[in-house]
Amino acid sequence: MSVDAGSGGFVQDIRSKNAGPFWITIDLFCTDAAAFSALCEALSTQAVADALCTTAERLQRFDIAALNVIKFSAPREVVQGARADRDMHGASYAVVIKELIDALERTELERKETESQLS
Amino acid sequence: MVKVLIPSGALGISVDPDALERGLRMRPDIIAIDGGSTDSGPHYLGTGSCKYSRASVKREWRLLMQARARLGVPLLVGTAGTCGTDAMVDWLLDITREVAVEEGQSLRVATLACSQNPAATAQAYEAGTLTPLPGAMPLNGEDIAACSNIVALAGAEQINAALATGAEIVIAGRSTDTAVIAALPLSRGCHPGGAWHGAKIGECGALATNNPATGAILIEFDAEGFTVRPSGEGVRATPLTVSAHMLYENADPFILHEPGGQLDVRNATYTAVEGDTSVRVTGSVWHPSERYTVKLEGARLAGYQTTSLVLVRDRRYVEAIDQWIGQLREAFEQREGGNIAGAYSLEFRLIGSNATLGALETRRHDAHEIGVLSVITAATQQAANDIAKLLNPYLLHYALTPNEPMPTFAFPFSPPEMERGGLHEFVLNHVMTLETPMEAFALDVVEVGP
């Protein structure tokens, strides 16, 4: 995988929120067009599905170049406010994806360091 | 041209008086505000209650009623009292009566009732006239009939019927967030795509600007599109802040479903205007649907809950918290199971470890203390309380190993059990087809004042 997150990293903000009681939606605001392009390549829908304990088939993905945004939407695995729900507004799903992006950035950094050492 | 002033994202959150004042100087044709949402969970619809205090709602509503009187324009609120049931429309009408007397205002107030009969809705479901939306859970008629409240979401047609009465104030029950903003522009012939798109951008007040905390925003609608004008001092709307708001709380970033059709913003263009403080938007398209449908929301009681919180600070227990809780649960169920009649659930949420994310948590905690939140759900409040009392000695003294001095953990409250009351859950994620828009709604006009 060859990606370049740039000095500012892939994203400047990630937010998640309910889209009604039965859906969750997550917006990844990339730092710029280059970061958007790189993240589109680096971030697989399957990886996001795994992080959210759902399936790739249930995830809707929108790569929105005009806004440098990648958006994921999925039916909630636990309906908002049901007994097992832990996050009424769904805002903490963003943390899960942020840690996934952080891991991608660390991988990229390690790759760069290795390339630097080899050269 | 129609100018709609949205004084804040929701009635009861707070209204910035300065931003409101600047908005009023822009001479809006109507003041429109949202009064609710499902976003804080099913409790409010289940119980027919408001999230915000009556005092704060009255304080803000008074400001808006004073503003309305100054300009002589209609004041409109949708989804009264968080959930928009008929009882909450009456609740806000009572507040309106009080303020009208106190302010010496004689007014005509139109109310729009949106509550649906659960038994009749269940029959409609069994007859196949309700259509499930994506993500709807499996249901039967009994599930629907068991709802304590069901509301239909009013669209622009119902809001305009209320405005057409000539009332100075409209108090609408459950309405789509956008309908209260789009209604007047639509009735006056503004661009339909622009009306719905601008309404979506303005639904949360200044959230579509660089300073959401300022609350107020003005949307100017016309024959080709709309212009977003923040009213807070120094606040800017940019093409990015405006276009990004279409993503907010919306599963599809380009399509928005509303009663009577859908908005498509794929070809919308966003242009900075007026010294980069405002944004002009054109190119949005409204596609009318063949059937006129309204969305339904319902909530039912799903049991009663009691919680307790105990704090674990001993390093050995913190490091072995999962083992401790596992052993504690096993001992509790083994020794007390026979003393508990009826089904119940017992859940431990470990604050400092996995309380927020549960199964999604991937990190091993490095906390120095853990809060153990016990959540008991049972068929009655008494049963939930009794189980919590049975559990208390275990949380207080349960030892990790058999041969150690009896530990004692920290309870911050006496009594440790906290009654949560009824647990409600959302039920419906369906639309209902109507022959005419007012079929499921009721309009009334009353006079209020001294």
Side-chain angles (χ1 to χ4, degrees), chain B residues 104-117:
Chain B
Q105 296 183 11
S106 295
L107 302 163
R108 279 163 57 85
V109 179
T111 58
L112 180 67
C114 303
S115 287
Q116 308 297 306
N117 181 290

Side-chain angles (χ1 to χ4, degrees), chain B residues 202-267:
Chain B
E203 64 171 352
C204 295
L207 197 57
T209 72
N210 69 337
N211 189 351
T214 50
I217 197 168
L218 184 129
I219 312 279
E220 197 172 287
F221 298 89
D222 55 46
E224 295 175 354
F226 65 97
T227 304
V228 182
R229 292 200 168 90
S231 66
E233 187 168 14
V235 180
R236 293 168 58 230
T238 70
L240 183 63
T241 63
V242 170
S243 57
H245 190 73
M246 189 64 197
L247 310 178
Y248 189 68
E249 295 181 340
N250 196 20
D252 189 311
F254 304 114
I255 303 294
L256 187 68
H257 297 276
E258 291 286 338
Q262 65 178 36
L263 168 69
D264 183 342
V265 305
R266 279 175 291 194
N267 294 317

Side-chain angles (χ1 to χ4, degrees), chain B residues 372-387:
Chain B
V372 178
L373 178 65
S374 306
V375 183
I376 294 144
T377 310
T380 66
Q381 188 68 69
Q382 187 62 53
N385 291 350
D386 288 347
I387 295 165

